[in-house]
Amino acid sequence: MMALLILIVCTLVPFGVGPEGGQLSRIAPGILWVGALLSCLLSLDRIFALDHDDGSLDLLATAPLPMEGMVAIKALAHWLVTGLPLALSAPVFGLLLHLPGPAYPWLVASLILGTPALSMLGVFGAAVTVGLRRGGLLLSLLVLPLYVPTLIFGAEAVRRGVAGADPMTALVFLAAITLFVLALVPFAAAAALRVNLR
């Protein structure tokens, strides 16, 4: 579903803005990153919902593994089935948007560096909304503002690669955001789960 969504985005954008290659190559970094962001949003509401519904989340809360470790494992699993495949298949989608050849390594690098932050922030949003019925809309409203810095620096790294400029500054900021999120969010998500399980 996630690959299909980003494929639909990359296919429909040329109809909306015109098929001219120069214009598409200028907006391709932003479009690819927005597509990756929306693809990550698709499965967020199911991260903890199924465990909550069948009662296994209560068992996980009492397991010897700390709640923070369980949150980190859920985020890793989400990234392995969403972020990593998107990063590896991104060059194919870049072809649809006339992304110049020199930008492909920077596109893959930015997605590999940035999508772990998207998965971890998504796990936090899923932890906050785990007990709510129809919490998908609230989850999106909660997570989307947190995604904005990752989106900005990820798209900027690819844009600089398209322009022939040095994208390392944007990649360093992107890596810093991901490391900060990976260090902080498991504790916040675990605290939110503990509150929701009371």
Side-chain angles (χ1 to χ4, degrees):
M1 289 296 293
M2 291 160 285
L4 183 60
L5 175 66
I6 196 168
L7 178 63
I8 290 170
V9 169
C10 292
T11 305
L12 292 181
V13 164
F15 289 113
V17 300
E20 197 266 312
Q23 184 176 2
L24 283 175
S25 65
R26 282 192 304 275
I27 65 171
I31 296 300
L32 290 168
W33 258 94
V34 167
L37 187 148
L38 293 175
S39 295
C40 284
L41 280 176
L42 274 180
S43 59
L44 291 183
D45 60 337
R46 293 188 301 269
I47 290 179
F48 293 117
L50 298 176
D51 295 333
H52 183 265
D53 292 344
D54 66 10
S56 58
L57 192 58
D58 295 316
L59 294 175
L60 289 171
T62 59
L65 179 69
M67 187 75 81
E68 293 81 5
M70 188 265 297
V71 167
I73 290 170
K74 286 278 193 179
L76 175 64
H78 184 266
W79 181 73
L80 287 174
V81 299
T82 60
L84 186 60
L86 282 174
L88 297 178
S89 62
V92 176
F93 301 123
L95 285 172
L96 297 173
L97 297 174
H98 300 280
L99 190 70
Y104 286 102
W106 304 117
L107 172 64
V108 174
S110 70
L111 286 170
I112 286 176
L113 282 175
T115 51
L118 299 182
S119 290
M120 187 61 80
L121 290 169
V123 166
F124 169 70
V128 170
T129 61
V130 69
L132 302 176
R133 291 186 180 209
R134 297 190 179 123
L137 179 59
L138 180 61
L139 174 60
S140 299
L141 292 175
L142 178 67
V143 169
L144 278 175
L146 300 175
Y147 278 177
V148 170
T150 305
L151 173 66
I152 290 170
F153 287 110
E156 180 64 15
V158 184
R159 190 193 64 77
R160 287 180 176 230
V162 169
D166 183 20
M168 287 308 296
T169 303
L171 287 177
V172 166
F173 275 103
L174 191 61
I177 290 169
T178 298
L179 290 175
F180 176 76
V181 166
L182 292 177
L184 181 67
V185 169
F187 299 99
L193 281 173
R194 289 187 187 103
V195 168
N196 284 330
L197 289 175
R198 283 181 187 165

